[in-house]
Amino acid sequence: MSTSTVDSTDPRTRRHEAKRARIVAAAWELARRDGVGAISLRELAAAVELRQPSLYAYFASKLDLYDAMFHEGNSRLLERLDALPPTDDAREAVKRYARAFTEFALEDPARCALLLQRPIPGFEPTADSYAVAQQVVACFVERLHAAGMVDPGDVDCMTAMVGGLIDAQQSNDPGGDRWVRHLDRLVELHLDDAQRQRHHRQEGQ
Amino acid sequence: MSTSTVDSTDPRTRRHEAKRARIVAAAWELARRDGVGAISLRELAAAVELRQPSLYAYFASKLDLYDAMFHEGNSRLLERLDALPPTDDAREAVKRYARAFTEFALEDPARCALLLQRPIPGFEPTADSYAVAQQVVACFVERLHAAGMVDPGDVDCMTAMVGGLIDAQQSNDPGGDRWVRHLDRLVELHLDDAQRQRHHRQEGQ
DNA sequence: GTCTATACATCGATAGAC
DNA sequence: GTCTATCGATGTATAGAC
């Protein structure tokens, strides 16, 4: 039983995980250079001084590699968001969260593509990897609630707006701020509108 | 001189253009079935009863085929938008335009992917094809102006919002209306906010 | 367990006959 | 314009050495 169980203190599995991480890092480098969809397993293997078939000792398939990249990227995003300085101002907290998310996404077009869009035909995140992505959303929703945005529809509008800004920025003005500079204002606009809607609903009852 | 010039009345070039259009139509079919990025030139050739190398008599490369698809898709979108019933109400006109655009995008995930996102590594629209896409934007901006939204920043916010809704809808709830149902409300929210900003600016001067 | 070596199917693209 | 033949590269997979 103990031999079949994953043991993170086992030096062998530790080395294995370390090399896996090294491969994922090299894959991100290639993705940044050529695009996420243009990663060649042979070139990736060469980058970590392996032969291509040896990669299959670490990943069951190329889609499995993408899943590992997806997981790693979302984990980093979650770290970044967890490290945000806390605030008593709930609205300020929302803005910081949205800003950090946006900055993270725009730092790296390749990362942005894999995490936010679906550029790989046939790639669907594992339940495990998807859970990390869900955590990012859940954490955002939490802060929106704290800032008075409780209606799920309003939350959807907010997330769509942030995603839309990032997408437009990435696609039409990479490296600039033509769209992203409106982030704070639009976050406030949505928060205010949600507040207004809430009052209307209360009056309506 | 006349032999080297493109003559659309020449039956030979007309047949050529017709077959090119047939190939593009078949390519869209494959894109709908397998995804835009998963089109196989051999399968496409078989669909129009040709051998794979014969496609190169109609397209210089696979990217050239994608460009033709991009052009055709945007042309159809422009037709659709031009056919919208006119209104005296400028705000209503904006909403109709945004609604038609959204409907068009969501009708076909593959079309949505090629026209709005950049799912093909290395694909950049030709200047000619891009011009059609620009026309769609220009027409939207025109109606926004008529509805009192004159600030370019506000226009950017509006386009990003519409794109964000479409993207979220397509990615997270294909076929549903969880995000898109807020379109009208958000268009009005942005129009109202632009109006408010304009008054602030006038007061500030 | 991890590696080398190799085979296989498929892909986009090109050359040249007709 | 359409074909056959072929190229180089890719992702996938297996066999077998150590």
Side-chain angles (χ1 to χ4, degrees):
Chain A
M1 190 66 169
S2 64
T3 55
S4 68
T5 308
V6 174
D7 180 8
S8 61
T9 64
D10 179 11
R12 262 188 318 207
T13 69
R14 285 187 65 87
R15 268 208 327 229
H16 192 268
E17 288 306 309
K19 190 145 193 176
R20 217 178 116 101
R22 245 193 86 207
I23 298 172
V24 169
W28 276 120
E29 267 184 60
L30 290 182
R32 272 186 286 273
R33 202 193 59 187
D34 302 327
V36 213
I39 293 179
S40 155
L41 290 191
R42 281 177 172 84
E43 202 175 0
L44 173 60
V48 294
E49 290 173 306
L50 285 177
R51 308 291 175 161
Q52 174 260 329
S54 303
L55 291 178
Y56 285 80
Y58 300 93
F59 305 96
S61 70
K62 197 181 188 183
L63 293 182
D64 191 33
L65 166 70
Y66 282 126
D67 189 62
M69 295 172 71
F70 183 85
H71 185 96
E72 198 245 29
N74 276 113
S75 297
R76 271 188 206 278
L77 171 56
L78 207 54
E79 282 174 29
R80 181 88 67 90
L81 294 172
D82 280 339
L84 283 177
T87 328
D88 287 341
D89 185 349
R91 291 169 68 98
E92 177 62 24
V94 169
K95 280 192 277 184
R96 281 188 194 173
Y97 198 90
R99 236 179 289 152
F101 183 88
T102 304
E103 276 169 24
F104 182 86
L106 293 177
E107 274 169 19
D108 184 344
R111 191 167 61 185
C112 181
L114 184 61
L115 267 55
L116 274 60
Q117 303 157 16
R118 293 287 134 85
I120 310 298
F123 169 60
E124 284 297 316
T126 310
D128 188 48
S129 296
Y130 195 65
V132 185
Q134 290 284 66
Q135 239 181 300
V136 173
V137 180
C139 196
F140 189 41
V141 173
E142 210 176 283
R143 294 180 197 219
L144 288 175
H145 274 98
M149 181 177 276
V150 290
D151 183 73
D154 290 335
V155 171
D156 286 342
C157 290
M158 180 72 90
T159 58
M161 181 272 290
V162 176
L165 280 183
I166 293 173
D167 204 62
Q169 187 64 56
Q170 186 70 54
S171 301
N172 304 103
D173 178 36
D177 72 335
R178 177 172 157 188
W179 273 269
V180 187
R181 66 170 185 218
H182 301 109
L183 178 62
D184 276 18
R185 210 192 76 215
L186 289 184
V187 167
E188 288 190 357
L189 179 64
H190 276 76
L191 286 176
D192 288 341
D193 185 57
Q195 210 82 314
R196 231 173 294 135
Q197 293 250 116
R198 207 145 68 114
H199 292 154
H200 276 155
R201 245 172 285 133
Q202 284 176 345
E203 288 172 8
Q205 278 177 353
Chain B
M1 190 67 171
S2 63
T3 56
S4 66
T5 309
V6 175
D7 179 8
S8 61
T9 63
D10 179 12
R12 263 188 319 211
T13 69
R14 285 187 67 86
R15 268 208 328 228
H16 191 271
E17 288 306 308
K19 190 145 194 176
R20 216 178 116 102
R22 245 194 85 207
I23 297 172
V24 169
W28 276 120
E29 266 185 60
L30 290 183
R32 272 186 285 273
R33 203 194 59 189
D34 301 328
V36 212
I39 293 178
S40 155
L41 290 190
R42 280 177 172 82
E43 202 174 0
L44 174 58
V48 294
E49 290 174 305
L50 285 178
R51 308 290 177 167
Q52 175 257 331
S54 303
L55 291 178
Y56 285 80
Y58 299 93
F59 305 97
S61 69
K62 198 182 186 182
L63 293 182
D64 190 32
L65 166 69
Y66 282 126
D67 190 62
M69 295 171 72
F70 183 84
H71 185 96
E72 198 245 29
N74 277 111
S75 297
R76 270 187 206 278
L77 172 55
L78 205 56
E79 281 175 29
R80 180 89 65 93
L81 294 172
D82 279 339
L84 282 177
T87 328
D88 287 341
D89 185 349
R91 292 170 67 97
E92 178 61 25
V94 169
K95 280 192 276 184
R96 281 189 194 174
Y97 199 90
R99 237 178 289 152
F101 182 89
T102 304
E103 275 169 25
F104 182 86
L106 293 177
E107 273 170 20
D108 184 344
R111 193 167 58 185
C112 180
L114 184 60
L115 267 54
L116 275 57
Q117 303 155 16
R118 295 286 133 89
I120 310 299
F123 169 61
E124 285 298 318
T126 309
D128 188 47
S129 296
Y130 195 65
V132 186
Q134 291 283 67
Q135 240 181 302
V136 173
V137 180
C139 196
F140 188 42
V141 172
E142 209 175 285
R143 293 178 198 220
L144 289 175
H145 273 97
M149 181 176 276
V150 290
D151 183 73
D154 290 335
V155 171
D156 285 343
C157 290
M158 181 71 90
T159 58
M161 180 275 288
V162 176
L165 280 183
I166 292 173
D167 204 63
Q169 187 62 58
Q170 186 70 55
S171 301
N172 304 104
D173 178 36
D177 71 337
R178 178 173 156 188
W179 273 270
V180 189
R181 68 170 183 217
H182 301 110
L183 178 62
D184 275 17
R185 211 193 75 214
L186 289 183
V187 167
E188 288 191 357
L189 178 64
H190 277 75
L191 287 176
D192 288 341
D193 185 58
Q195 211 81 315
R196 231 174 293 135
Q197 293 251 118
R198 207 144 69 113
H199 291 153
H200 277 153
R201 244 172 284 136
Q202 285 176 344
E203 288 170 9
Q205 278 176 354

